[in-house]
Amino acid sequence: MTAFLIRRLVQAVIVLIVTSVIVFTGVFAIGDPLEILLPADASMAEREQVAESLGLNDPLPVQYLGFVTDALQGNFGRSFVYNRPATEVILERLPATLELTFTALVISLVIGIPLGLWAGVRAGSATDETIMTGSILGFSLPNFWQGMMLIMIFSVTLGWLPSTGRGETGTILGIETSFATWDGLKHLLLPAINLALAQTALVIRLTRTGVQETMPLDFIKFARARGISSPRILFVHVMKNILIPIVTVIGIEFGSLVAFAVVTETIFAWPGIGKLIIDSINALDRPIIVSYILIVVTMFIVINFCVDALYSLLDPRIRVSAQ
Amino acid sequence: MKRYSIGAMAALLVSVAMPALAADLTIGRAAEPSSIDPQFSRTGNNQGTAQLMFGRLIEQDANLQISPGLATEWTAVDDTTWDIKLRDGVKFHDGSTMTADDVIFSLERTDEVPNSPAPFSDMVSSIDSMEKVDDLTVRITTKEPAPALIEDIGRVFIISKAAAEGKTSEDFNSGDATVGTGPYKFVSFKPGESLTIEAFDGYWGEQPDFKEVEVRFISNDAARVAALLSGSVDLIDAVPPADVARLESQDGINVVSAASGRVIYLGLSQRFAQAPGVFDLDGKPLEENPFRDARVRKAISLMIDRQLVVDRILGGAGVPAGQLVPSVLGGHAEDLGPDQVDINKAKELLTEAGYPDGFGLKLYSSNNRFPGDGDLVQALGQMLTRGGLKVMGVEALPYNVYSKAASAGDYGAFVFSLGSSTPTSAPNLSSLIQTYDKEAGTGAFNRVRFSSEEFDKALSVALQEFDPEKRNELLAEATRIAFAQTPIVPLYWQKVFWGAREGITINGGLSEYTLAQDVKKTD
């Protein structure tokens, strides 16, 4: 187990170094931040002053070495645009994204798993057809369009829910969150549903397939023969066996949702990191882009690790083979 | 179990949470400021935010024209000495009175804000020394005669010395140092989300119509429009031209429009002996640079139907242009209208220049910088083809990639834009078409490297003139000299739109700022 951990750690460090080089040179190659930061009537002297203070005059390798030296001391540079530590700018917006993603994930599981089970048990019935067709819509309609439709229906036409921003936040256990106020929850609902739609469709399909594959297996027949009730078979025995693929996919998807909830955050003006990264790429704010990507890579590494750990909890066979 | 207890706590907290503060006015703005520190960056977003809370020596109206602000009089004692008289009894938000010390402190801090990505340095670069004569008089000595000194230092936001001394830009974001003399007081700022402000009772000028104001930052166009339609905001800026007609037809919504100072132009690079992306009729790179011939540049200008571009591509959201700045700005040459299409004249000029059958070229543009930029370059391609040139390709790129290549001179013919943020055309003339000279610091954005000795001379004469009226005339004259040679091909000035719910309107103008103090009740 220790050897496994150490190998994982070494891999993670290599991935981080390679990523930083690629992103650093990539952003450098795209364009010149000065072109975007400076006002149209900036003079040569001002241009020089800015280039000097942001350290853009040095050749690329020198800039990179400086970055690595600082990064090893935990300093990922200051944002060109905001002149604040890049990690601070990112972490400040992370809670907003996390609560949005978490809510979306909960919605997709709460709706997706029961519907998937239902469709799987009644495969071929009208119910199954309806659920499956619905899930196709969840997949195939563009996220952007779904978001606009939600706004048009629930904000513009019905006027039930607000369409922009995070609303009033409160603090629970020292964390600022929308969960703490009614207004915050109302603001959270539409973007969370928007983010959850495709996710729900995915969960439905995974669950349905799992149920269909598991139901004909021998152990289910034996369970029936022993007289175990149908609900217990479905919710305990079948569920246990189909959760592994769901956990894997959801784990990875959670990472993607956190990192790339860009569309939803932009449409609903949600002050999270997805919106930040798009703005930063447009402004070529390199410290933010590099730190962001490194944070996301780290997050994926951690999530993958957690998923592996969950496997062994869910499946005794994996637990045994690991020991 | 844990989850249940958190849920229960959440339920508990919901009942004790603070009630939402209802603002009198909620504005949906497309762009957010990078900092609340008014001296951190002079990009439009930041200036348009700082003006809510901070005053300046001179005020600019919606069309950038100046009037006395915190300074009431400025007199030249001699060529390099100015006496600036300050307004009496101006209060800061903390109740203290503004004095010469605050003004000197503000001007001294201007070029010392660390890591500023767009410093105000140039505004104070002509100052040699400053001296407090009395509480309401500052004497400024300049390094060289600086006729436009007040226009320069007048753009610097005045902050309170007591509140801001030793403070960083971050202290402004949190509100600690955010003490100004403007019509609104800072309440809170949430990056990426909103800025909340409250009218300042002790403001020296006219009280704004709305007391509590929330400015929300909604960058997505469709979402901003939806927010207005759903009533969650009262006013939005940067209405996309495509949505203008729809908003106008909607009950309870009004659209306000203004011509902006942003000119969209076609640059024809005279920079290198060979122009990149310019070919002979067989597709081989052309040996000489045709754009170095003023007749070719004029010919291209004559091929473009500006009104058609404005009508068809922008849905009317533009004003055809024949020079850099629109008529409301100083230095506009009244007689210099946009070129009208004249294919025959264009042919003639091309023949004279030695290209009777035209030549081949590629056109470049950004695709996310301003509304319609990607379509614009397509249309230009067709117009130049109709005019007898062989357009061999049209390419539109994201601005962050495009801007670097355009400045590096990678494009022969390219579309670019330039905004105005000053009362006269002087800074734009200087940065866009004055001879590029790194040492002298002129022509910073002269990407085409146009150079005319006659124009440079006329411009420097204008810049030395002390009388504002006379200076504007001289600027117009310099503009005429330059545009006789078509330094760039001006296309149009953008129009900008605001959408407002019934009962309010905004006094918007060329500056494109969306200021809460400019929002008025109409009923």
Side-chain angles (χ1 to χ4, degrees), chain B residues 28-32 45 216-221 224 237-238:
Chain B
R29 231 177 75 178
E32 66 165 311
N45 299 333
R216 285 198 207 149
F217 309 114
I218 311 173
S219 60
N220 182 268
D221 287 344
R224 204 165 52 253
D237 66 359

Side-chain angles (χ1 to χ4, degrees), chain B residues 366-403:
Chain B
S366 54
N367 60 13
N368 58 357
R369 178 65 169 171
F370 49 86
D373 48 358
D375 298 332
L376 168 67
V377 71
Q378 301 268 357
L380 289 181
Q382 289 172 18
M383 287 173 181
L384 298 194
T385 306
R386 188 185 59 179
L389 297 180
K390 196 172 168 189
V391 177
M392 299 173 133
V394 161
E395 205 169 317
L397 300 153
Y399 185 73
N400 57 4
V401 177
Y402 176 73
S403 58

Side-chain angles (χ1 to χ4, degrees), chain A residues 281-310:
Chain A
I281 290 173
N282 281 331
L284 293 174
D285 195 343
R286 192 175 59 201
I288 298 263
I289 303 174
V290 175
S291 314
Y292 178 85
I293 306 257
L294 291 183
I295 288 177
V296 167
V297 169
T298 314
M299 189 179 73
F300 270 94
I301 291 170
V302 171
I303 288 176
N304 270 327
F305 192 79
C306 292
V307 168
D308 286 352
L310 268 182

Side-chain angles (χ1 to χ4, degrees), chain A:
Chain A
M1 195 64 186
T2 330
F4 170 75
L5 269 181
I6 292 175
R7 204 182 314 135
R8 270 294 175 96
L9 206 64
V10 173
Q11 281 173 350
V13 172
I14 294 173
V15 169
L16 285 174
I17 293 175
V18 172
T19 317
S20 73
V21 174
I22 295 176
V23 177
F24 208 87
T25 42
V27 179
F28 189 85
I30 292 178
D32 184 355
L34 289 183
E35 294 288 339
I36 292 164
L37 295 169
L38 286 170
D41 56 348
S43 71
M44 228 62 111
E46 285 175 340
R47 197 187 175 89
E48 199 44 44
Q49 182 192 347
V50 175
E52 191 57 49
S53 75
L54 298 183
L56 296 171
N57 277 338
D58 299 330
L60 180 62
V62 176
Q63 290 188 33
Y64 182 73
L65 273 183
F67 165 76
V68 172
T69 321
D70 288 347
L72 287 178
Q73 296 158 19
N75 170 11
F76 287 84
R78 294 179 87 83
S79 157
F80 294 161
V81 175
Y82 304 102
N83 187 28
R84 298 173 54 208
T87 39
E88 190 185 302
V89 176
I90 296 170
L91 293 181
E92 172 183 274
R93 304 194 187 206
L94 195 59
T97 298
L98 283 180
E99 76 186 17
L100 177 63
T101 318
F102 179 71
T103 314
L105 197 68
V106 170
I107 293 177
S108 67
L109 289 177
V110 166
I111 297 177
I113 291 186
L115 284 183
L117 288 174
W118 194 10
V121 174
R122 300 261 171 86
S125 69
T127 322
D128 178 40
E129 294 287 329
T130 315
I131 293 175
M132 292 319 282
T133 315
S135 79
I136 290 176
L137 289 182
F139 264 127
S140 51
L141 294 178
N143 201 228
F144 181 80
W145 186 83
Q146 288 174 353
M148 295 316 300
M149 282 303 118
L150 287 173
I151 292 180
M152 285 316 289
I153 295 169
F154 293 103
S155 301
V156 177
T157 312
L158 297 173
W160 290 351
L161 294 165
S163 62
T164 61
R166 201 175 165 200
E168 199 66 29
T169 55
T171 36
I172 297 180
L173 307 172
I175 303 163
E176 205 183 309
T177 166
S178 297
F179 294 131
T181 69
W182 179 237
D183 184 55
L185 284 174
K186 267 172 42 181
H187 278 84
L188 184 59
L189 204 54
L190 278 189
I193 291 175
N194 180 225
L195 203 56
L197 276 175
Q199 215 59 21
T200 311
L202 189 67
V203 174
I204 291 178
R205 301 204 142 227
L206 283 171
T207 314
R208 179 180 180 271
T209 315
V211 171
Q212 278 195 301
E213 276 173 4
T214 315
M215 285 307 254
L217 293 183
D218 287 344
F219 79 95
I220 300 290
K221 287 181 192 147
F222 285 127
R224 277 197 209 289
R226 274 183 61 193
I228 298 173
S229 67
S230 285
R232 189 174 159 82
I233 291 178
L234 188 62
F235 291 114
V236 178
H237 299 283
V238 175
M239 270 287 263
K240 263 191 180 168
N241 281 281
I242 63 174
L243 271 182
I244 288 220
I246 296 179
V247 167
T248 314
V249 174
I250 290 302
I252 300 294
E253 281 290 314
F254 181 75
S256 312
L257 283 186
V258 172
F260 310 114
V262 178
V263 174
T264 301
E265 289 189 0
T266 313
I267 299 175
F268 292 92
W270 193 260
I273 51 176
K275 198 160 154 286
L276 175 72
I277 189 66
I278 282 295
D279 293 345
S280 300
I281 290 173
N282 281 331
L284 293 174
D285 195 343
R286 192 175 59 201
I288 298 263
I289 303 174
V290 175
S291 314
Y292 178 85
I293 306 257
L294 291 183
I295 288 177
V296 167
V297 169
T298 314
M299 189 179 73
F300 270 94
I301 291 170
V302 171
I303 288 176
N304 270 327
F305 192 79
C306 292
V307 168
D308 286 352
L310 268 182
Y311 281 175
S312 60
L313 279 182
L314 288 169
D315 192 337
R317 287 168 301 187
I318 297 176
R319 218 176 310 160
V320 170
S321 71
Q323 280 160 3

Side-chain angles (χ1 to χ4, degrees), chain B residues 36 94 160 162-165 167-179 186-187:
Chain B
I36 298 298
D94 61 1
S160 153
E165 197 159 27
K167 296 287 173 69
T168 63
S169 297
E170 279 169 57
D171 294 318
F172 281 88
N173 289 346
S174 68
D176 283 353
T178 320
V179 177
F186 177 90
V187 176

Side-chain angles (χ1 to χ4, degrees), chain B residues 233-252:
Chain B
V233 300
D234 302 311
L235 176 97
I236 57 170
D237 66 359
V239 175
D243 285 332
V244 168
R246 190 171 152 232
L247 285 185
E248 273 174 341
S249 68
Q250 193 89 18
D251 276 344

